[in-house]
Amino acid sequence: MNGKTAFVLLSGVLSGSLCACVQPPEAAAPAAPAPPPVAAAAPAPAPVPEPPPGDRWVSIQGATCERLLELSPDDRAAASLFYIGYQAARFRSRTINVGAIPDAEEWASSYCAEHPGQPAVEAFRQAYRQTFR
């Protein structure tokens, strides 16, 4: 029995040591993390428009041509549309030729360049009569 016990013990020891010596293959080392995607240069954020001033009163008939010509192109275009609409109401027009608006703006700008001290409303009154009537 001693031989059988020794054989069983020896085989158990050997199998245990084989198991301890032979290790499963290690998982491959983790790959280096992928570099972050190269983002295209992000466009600069658009400038935030300033909010319109509150309680700022402008005299419709008192604004001069000089002041109109000092405005930025966007503000001048907005003022031009206002004055064209104002003149349409004064002339009691029920329709307006939208295609003629650029001509009226150009006519009023030319008038204002020649008469900077005149009221802008006068420039658009004449421009309206020249282009829409």
Side-chain angles (χ1 to χ4, degrees):
M1 285 235 193
N2 282 345
K4 264 187 173 178
T5 308
F7 178 76
V8 173
L9 286 175
L10 184 58
S11 63
V13 170
L14 287 176
S15 68
S17 28
L18 285 176
C19 290
C21 293
V22 178
Q23 297 177 3
E26 290 182 18
V38 178
V48 177
E50 292 183 30
D55 292 334
R56 181 169 179 238
W57 296 87
V58 177
S59 172
I60 294 171
Q61 295 192 3
T64 64
C65 281
E66 180 180 25
R67 181 65 186 120
L68 179 73
L69 295 175
E70 291 173 351
L71 295 175
S72 70
D74 287 343
D75 289 344
R76 192 173 333 139
S80 295
L81 287 177
F82 168 80
Y83 278 112
I84 290 169
Y86 179 78
Q87 293 302 329
R90 291 192 70 211
F91 283 105
R92 297 191 190 320
S93 299
R94 302 191 103 200
T95 61
I96 191 167
N97 179 1
V98 176
I101 290 174
D103 295 336
E105 289 176 328
E106 186 177 332
W107 203 99
S109 291
S110 295
Y111 177 90
C112 282
E114 293 173 14
H115 306 93
Q118 291 296 313
V121 71
E122 177 61 21
F124 284 96
R125 184 184 71 77
Q126 291 190 27
Y128 190 88
R129 291 181 71 186
Q130 294 293 321
T131 55
F132 294 109
R133 291 299 205 147

